[in-house]
Amino acid sequence: MRLRITTWNVNSVRLRESALRRIADELRPDVLCLQETKVEDHIFPVGALDELGYVHRHLHGQKAYHGVAILSRLPLSDCHHFKWCNIDHCRHAVASLPGGIEIHNLYVPAGGDIPDPETNRKFRHKLDMLAELTGHFGARNGDGARLVLLGDLNIAPLETDVWSHKQLLDVVSHTPVETEALTRLQRAYGFVDAVRTVIPPEQKLYTWWSYRAQDWAASDRGRRLDHVWLSPALAPALVTAEVRRDARGWDQPSDHVPVTVELEV
């Protein structure tokens, strides 16, 4: 069976219905994972999802901030979520698909503007959450599970994941302390970067462009903040991966674009 999974930081789901419909029509994911839904579960716009065939849902949201959702055309089971750093933010939802594929949908804290954990509590929160995730998945290493870890991880780890490696070394999302923390998390379970398996690491690749740019496409000052990782047991199933750069230019766009992988499961 071919399985298509898309991750997208929607940046307020109630503002992006037209883009959501385009993703469903053009990318046709079987599973759509959203971050920054910014809505409480009881007022999530489920009517549009029913029309699009995403009748199986795991919503984990809060008012105005954060929030993650797993939307599926296939049945979901064992839906649950995690709270990290003892902070009540909706940042991590988990669900299982038929065949035992376990999806972890994550929204890692952006980290604020100052890359100093001593003076910036948001940056400390980011590093602490990454450390706790690393411990969690490290403890599971070797269990043979078919895992997908995806979402807005808010870190661009490679030099080619940012428009200027030198200029962004001291900018939150590309600092060495963050990229090293993300690498530790990836290695803790042996996750494979699905997108960079398909699109060579030598190629510049972004999934986010700031709203501050007058012409995002002309300046092209992007960063690859959105990721899809596969566990060693699932990585051989990877068929292809795609970043829909053009979605940044849609009407009322999110500042992130959808990232899709296709698996032969």
Side-chain angles (χ1 to χ4, degrees):
M1 182 183 76
R2 288 290 178 103
L3 177 67
R4 290 178 61 81
I5 303 174
T6 296
T7 179
W8 182 40
N9 180 319
V10 63
N11 195 8
S12 187
V13 67
R14 288 182 293 178
L15 297 178
R16 315 282 175 220
E17 184 174 330
S18 63
L20 197 65
R21 290 180 179 277
R22 283 194 68 171
I23 288 171
D25 291 342
E26 297 179 19
L27 296 179
R28 304 194 62 78
D30 302 293
V31 182
L32 175 57
C33 294
L34 304 178
Q35 304 86 42
E36 280 202 281
T37 55
K38 298 183 179 181
V39 64
E40 295 168 288
D41 294 345
H42 70 280
I43 53 174
F44 197 101
V46 296
L49 302 180
D50 288 337
E51 292 178 28
L52 297 171
Y54 297 105
V55 297
H56 306 282
R57 302 181 279 264
H58 177 27
L59 308 179
H60 181 43
Q62 65 187 87
K63 184 178 180 179
Y65 297 98
H66 319 310
V68 288
I70 301 174
L71 316 175
S72 179
R73 302 181 191 274
L74 304 172
L76 297 176
S77 62
D78 192 24
C79 296
H80 59 283
H81 58 264
F82 287 97
K83 179 173 73 173
W84 300 106
C85 307
N86 202 32
I87 296 176
D88 243 346
H89 289 174
C90 298
R91 296 185 177 274
H92 187 178
V94 187
S96 292
L97 294 168
I101 295 174
E102 185 180 320
I103 295 183
H104 291 257
N105 183 12
L106 284 166
Y107 175 52
V108 171
D113 296 324
I114 303 170
D116 181 354
E118 302 305 318
T119 61
N120 179 2
R121 62 180 179 81
K122 293 181 179 179
F123 196 69
R124 167 54 63 192
H125 180 204
K126 183 176 194 174
L127 297 180
D128 287 348
M129 181 172 168
L130 289 167
E132 290 189 14
L133 285 165
T134 299
H136 172 79
F137 285 103
R140 292 189 58 178
N141 192 5
D143 67 1
R146 306 176 83 197
L147 303 181
V148 183
L149 184 155
L150 51 69
D152 179 3
L153 305 186
N154 261 314
I155 297 173
L158 304 181
E159 293 187 16
T160 50
D161 289 338
V162 293
W163 65 272
S164 173
H165 169 62
K166 290 183 179 179
Q167 294 184 67
L168 294 181
L169 274 173
D170 60 354
V171 174
V172 172
S173 77
H174 191 60
T175 65
V177 67
E178 293 169 274
T179 59
E180 290 164 9
L182 190 68
T183 298
R184 285 193 295 272
L185 170 56
Q186 184 179 358
R187 290 176 176 171
Y189 194 81
F191 285 110
V192 174
D193 184 337
V195 174
R196 281 305 194 184
T197 298
V198 175
I199 302 171
E202 297 78 22
Q203 181 177 327
K204 287 275 192 179
L205 185 65
Y206 316 135
T207 65
W208 173 90
W209 292 261
S210 174
Y211 284 132
R212 297 175 185 175
Q214 289 187 341
D215 188 334
W216 70 273
S219 60
D220 202 22
R221 295 191 171 192
R223 307 176 202 175
R224 185 173 74 106
L225 304 180
D226 306 87
H227 302 269
V228 181
W229 293 352
L230 305 176
S231 68
L234 191 57
L238 178 64
V239 176
T240 190
E242 177 187 11
V243 174
R244 279 296 297 266
R245 174 188 171 97
D246 65 299
R248 183 61 179 81
W250 292 353
D251 292 338
Q252 289 191 304
S254 170
D255 47 357
H256 295 253
V257 298
V259 178
T260 301
V261 299
E262 186 166 321
L263 308 175
E264 182 70 66
V265 297

